[in-house]
Amino acid sequence: ILKLEVPEVDKSTIDIKVQDNELTISGERKLDPGPSDALYHRMERGYGTFRRSFSLNRSLDFTKIKAIMKDGILRLELPKKEEIITLLQRQPD
């Protein structure tokens, strides 16, 4: 499981790709300008495009990656290949 904090990011702007054992997540956080007379004294969140890449183990089944976005958290479930699970179950304790 991989979790990323993506508050104020519309899930339609998030792109998830796997290529050559590398998982890349990119998207965009747009600044809501608010009322025309709004002045920000402090902003603790970056805005604009973002991109993160992670190297993946070959034991993962890239065809079964599942992405869930809830409450500003993007959760990726990265399951192992069935043959790896079977092999691990056969290992003595």
Side-chain angles (χ1 to χ4, degrees):
I1 294 176
L2 175 65
K3 288 185 177 182
L4 292 95
E5 294 182 11
V6 287
E8 295 186 341
V9 175
D10 187 319
K11 68 180 178 181
S12 68
T13 70
I14 296 177
D15 186 36
I16 302 168
K17 291 184 181 177
V18 176
Q19 185 175 0
D20 299 327
N21 294 336
E22 184 171 273
L23 172 70
T24 302
I25 302 165
S26 58
E28 182 177 10
R29 180 179 293 118
K30 295 180 181 179
L31 176 61
D32 179 13
S36 60
D37 60 350
L39 298 174
Y40 293 100
H41 294 285
R42 182 181 187 111
M43 294 184 86
E44 295 188 3
R45 186 169 293 146
Y47 291 87
T49 59
F50 62 89
R51 181 183 180 103
R52 294 287 314 268
S53 294
F54 304 89
S55 295
L56 298 178
N57 189 305
R58 293 183 187 269
S59 66
L60 299 175
D61 187 345
F62 304 141
T63 65
K64 294 184 180 176
I65 293 175
K66 184 177 178 182
I68 302 164
M69 186 146 158
K70 182 179 177 186
D71 299 330
I73 304 293
L74 175 61
R75 175 188 166 112
L76 295 174
E77 296 177 2
L78 309 164
K80 291 185 174 152
K81 293 178 182 174
E82 285 298 323
E83 58 266 23
I84 299 296
I85 294 171
T86 302
L87 181 64
L88 291 173
Q89 290 172 343
R90 290 183 185 167
Q91 296 291 325
D93 291 334

